[in-house]
Amino acid sequence: MTNVHSPNIHSTSVLSARPKPWRSYIMSKSSPDGPGGAHERAPELADLLPILQRIAVALERLAPAKAEPSDLHAHPGYYWAGLEGRLIPVPAIDHVPLSALVGIEPQKAEMLANLRGFGAGATANHMLLWGARGTGKSSLTKAAHAAIHAETQGRIALVEVPRSDIETLPGLLERISGVDRRFLLFFDDLSFDDGDGGYKSMKAVLDGGIRGCPANVLLAVTSNRRHLLRREMIENERSSALHASEAVEEKVSLADRFGLSLGFHNAAQDDYLAMVIGHLGLLADAFEADELVREAENWARRRGSRSGRVAVQFARHVAARQMAAA
């Protein structure tokens, strides 16, 4: 007697009997006898066209909008969004007046001269601004650009390049190399770790790549590290390399590619107090001379340095205190 419960009996028929919506659709469109008709044929393009059109519309809706190209003559600055491959306009750049930066007169003079030459069409030097934190490296870069931008009627645009997008530099250079305008690429607070891919990208742009750097592009980099590398990285190379001097020379060669290297250090007391008075403006009149010196010095001592940043923070503190007391 046949076992009607055997799983092997009619297994093919059961599987083939499961509903297949796509099969039913094709058969209903193609078979003259409708679903289950005796004659089947492959679907024609006209049969599938409505489905393909709906898929295309759905994909178009999911795709990000294509970025509109920016007018590279219209704004004083731009922000490079490397992953998106576009320059985001910055209509007003946040900067302090050049006159507010005291105690860094030599650095100020050299940077301005270099930018003036660049704006006039000369082949200028790429700039590395290194030194203690808060000493005016970034502030000088933005203030000097603002001054030259005004002098040259917008001849030079400032482009901020974030640390995370350094490896997209080739795309940025391709975008701006043919533009009839000069561009100062600004890399703020830059440093590299061992094995960092951005290190080689920057090195190739500065000097060494076959494409080089376009004539209308200049780099300005600020860093707390003179060689853009952690000290322990250099020491590790010196201790472990077969030829220590050659290994260290390779590691610091990036900094050597900047023709203009400007060092920044903590300010002397007189320079620091001049910064404080400059940022306080009329608020300084509320202090006796000895009182102002004492409070400004105490503020700097609590923060561990005398610098432009500390002077600005002290001025904000005084302004807020006087506003609260009014």
Side-chain angles (χ1 to χ4, degrees):
M1 180 176 179
T2 303
N3 185 359
V4 296
H5 299 290
S6 173
N8 295 324
I9 299 299
H10 306 305
S11 59
T12 302
S13 300
V14 171
L15 290 175
S16 60
R18 292 175 181 172
K20 297 181 176 60
W22 61 268
R23 183 181 177 89
S24 300
Y25 172 81
I26 293 174
M27 292 176 64
S28 64
K29 294 291 185 181
S30 60
S31 175
D33 300 322
H39 304 288
E40 296 185 14
R41 63 176 176 83
E44 295 180 355
L45 180 59
D47 299 327
L48 299 178
L49 191 57
I51 296 178
L52 296 176
Q53 287 176 334
R54 287 199 295 272
I55 293 173
V57 170
L59 292 176
E60 187 73 22
R61 191 180 300 116
L62 292 174
K66 185 178 294 186
E68 294 295 330
S70 301
D71 184 350
L72 297 184
H73 292 87
H75 303 282
Y78 299 86
Y79 180 88
W80 172 241
L83 294 180
E84 301 174 27
R86 65 190 184 107
L87 287 160
I88 301 173
V90 180
I93 298 174
D94 181 26
H95 70 277
V96 299
L98 199 59
S99 58
L101 301 175
V102 300
I104 53 172
E105 300 307 322
Q107 298 94 323
K108 188 189 301 186
E110 289 197 60
M111 188 170 196
L112 285 171
N114 196 49
L115 285 178
R116 284 193 178 101
F118 179 59
T123 304
N125 280 313
H126 300 297
M127 299 174 289
L128 173 61
L129 291 72
W130 59 272
R133 68 186 188 278
T135 49
K137 303 181 294 294
S138 302
S139 296
L140 177 57
T141 301
K142 293 184 288 185
H145 167 263
I148 302 301
H149 183 270
E151 287 181 15
T152 61
Q153 297 181 336
R155 178 64 178 155
I156 303 176
L158 184 67
V159 179
E160 183 178 358
V161 182
R163 169 68 186 81
S164 57
D165 287 345
I166 288 181
E167 294 188 46
T168 66
L169 270 177
L172 172 59
L173 297 181
E174 183 177 353
R175 175 78 184 279
I176 63 181
S177 61
V179 179
D180 184 22
R181 195 182 186 188
R182 305 234 135 189
F183 295 89
L184 177 63
L185 306 190
F186 177 39
F187 303 81
D188 193 25
D189 195 20
L190 184 63
S191 63
F192 296 101
D193 295 320
D194 201 10
D196 197 325
Y199 178 87
K200 292 184 177 179
S201 298
M202 176 72 74
K203 191 173 178 181
V205 169
L206 286 167
D207 184 19
I210 61 173
R211 299 176 66 182
C213 190
N216 66 331
V217 173
L218 192 69
L219 273 63
V221 172
T222 71
S223 179
N224 295 338
R225 300 167 181 169
R226 184 172 187 175
H227 298 296
L228 300 172
L229 302 168
R230 290 185 292 108
R231 181 181 298 275
E232 47 268 39
M233 287 175 58
I234 299 176
E235 294 301 326
N236 288 342
E237 290 290 342
R238 181 179 284 115
S239 62
S240 61
L242 184 60
H243 300 287
S245 60
E246 293 180 3
V248 173
E249 183 177 349
E250 167 65 20
K251 285 295 182 184
V252 302
S253 63
L254 178 60
D256 292 340
R257 284 168 161 75
F258 291 89
L260 185 59
S261 180
L262 303 175
F264 291 72
H265 310 282
N266 284 323
Q269 184 183 44
D270 290 346
D271 291 331
Y272 169 65
L273 291 175
M275 295 176 195
V276 167
I277 293 172
H279 289 297
L280 280 174
L282 295 177
L283 293 177
D285 296 339
F287 289 88
E288 296 293 335
D290 291 344
E291 180 189 9
L292 178 59
V293 171
R294 183 175 62 255
E295 286 205 29
E297 279 294 305
N298 287 338
W299 184 270
R301 193 176 299 112
R302 290 198 298 269
R303 277 145 188 80
S305 68
R306 298 189 187 100
S307 68
R309 180 179 298 164
V310 172
V312 170
Q313 292 169 346
F314 175 71
R316 290 173 179 168
H317 166 71
V318 170
R321 186 178 65 189
Q322 292 196 8
M323 182 67 70

